[in-house]
Amino acid sequence: MLTIWGRQNSSNVKKVLWCADELGISYEHVVAGGAFGVVKTPEYRAMNPNGLVPCIQDDGFTLWESNAIVRYLCAKHGEGALYPRDLTQRAMADQWMDWATSTFTAPYKDLFLNTVRLPAEQRKKDVAQRGLQACADHLSIVDAALAKKPFLSGSDFGMGDIPLACLIYAWFEMPIQRPALAHLEAWYRRLALRPAYQSRVMTELT
């Protein structure tokens, strides 16, 4: 039995819950992290010494780090679908997964915290503006890639789309001035047709 720990408003937890729903996996979801606590307990730290979410246990196997979890679930339950059999296609999916985390997440976090999550009196407009500009620059790269194929994973939706897609919902829902990126917008519209994306990612911004 698969158990997933994490709070639903965490973009990293959204990756795992969405992925599991896309794959049709049965699982138990334990809300944890942030205001929900749990992550500082000795029991949780024994699973994830970082004290972060998400974390999973799958028939006695424990794993943390959201991208690693998505890869594991897709490899176990979605080979040939969300997890490409072809090595080059899988490498391209890995590339976009890691890019979303290593390149896009930091400026996105600056923008999101100072536009949505922090109390109004704590928000820094200059930090938000720098984050907005950096995100726009980075997303122009994504837009160019999506001009050549409908998904970051290739011709079909796959694991390579999941990390960035969990952030792109907020990009389009935040009260910000976004540049026109037609291919990115079309990708987002395709994602928004997926029931699991609607239920796990397209939720209230908090």
Side-chain angles (χ1 to χ4, degrees):
M1 178 65 177
L2 174 66
T3 303
I4 302 171
W5 281 265
R7 66 187 194 280
Q8 291 173 290
N9 67 339
S10 161
S11 59
N12 286 330
V13 176
K14 287 179 180 181
K15 294 179 197 177
V16 177
L17 294 172
W18 175 27
C19 179
D21 287 351
E22 287 281 357
L23 293 167
I25 306 169
S26 297
Y27 59 88
E28 177 186 3
H29 177 210
V30 180
V31 181
F36 300 98
V38 178
V39 297
K40 293 183 179 181
T41 64
E43 294 80 8
Y44 188 86
R45 290 297 179 99
M47 294 190 300
N48 184 351
N50 302 287
L52 299 173
V53 292
C55 181
I56 69 166
Q57 282 194 332
D58 186 27
D59 294 328
F61 172 62
T62 302
L63 186 66
W64 37 265
E65 286 297 323
S66 58
N67 284 358
I69 295 170
V70 168
R71 289 185 179 106
Y72 167 77
L73 294 178
C74 288
K76 183 175 180 179
H77 300 280
E79 185 176 1
L82 299 191
Y83 191 80
R85 289 192 178 95
D86 180 79
L87 178 61
T88 59
Q89 289 184 330
R90 192 160 68 242
M92 290 296 293
D94 283 335
Q95 170 186 270
W96 284 113
M97 292 178 75
D98 292 344
W99 180 90
T101 300
S102 66
T103 301
F104 187 74
T105 296
Y108 166 85
K109 184 176 180 180
D110 286 342
L111 174 61
F112 185 80
L113 288 176
N114 289 282
T115 304
V116 175
R117 183 158 289 174
L118 289 174
E121 66 275 11
Q122 295 180 23
R123 296 175 188 173
K124 298 178 180 178
K125 291 184 179 180
D126 59 330
V127 175
Q129 185 57 41
R130 285 198 301 272
L132 174 60
Q133 185 59 58
C135 285
D137 291 344
H138 293 325
L139 289 174
S140 68
I141 298 171
V142 182
D143 188 71
L146 290 168
K148 302 173 184 177
K149 53 189 178 182
F151 295 98
L152 295 177
S153 298
S155 58
D156 299 301
F157 171 78
M159 69 179 188
D161 295 275
I162 290 175
L164 185 60
C166 284
L167 306 178
I168 214 66
Y169 168 67
W171 171 256
F172 282 107
E173 292 299 314
M174 284 187 284
I176 56 176
Q177 293 294 318
R178 290 172 293 275
L181 297 170
H183 304 294
L184 183 75
E185 293 168 14
W187 176 64
Y188 174 60
R189 288 195 297 271
R190 287 189 286 274
L191 294 169
L193 296 174
R194 308 186 72 85
Y197 187 75
Q198 295 170 14
S199 63
R200 289 303 186 185
V201 181
M202 301 179 74
T203 57
E204 182 182 1
L205 298 181
T206 57

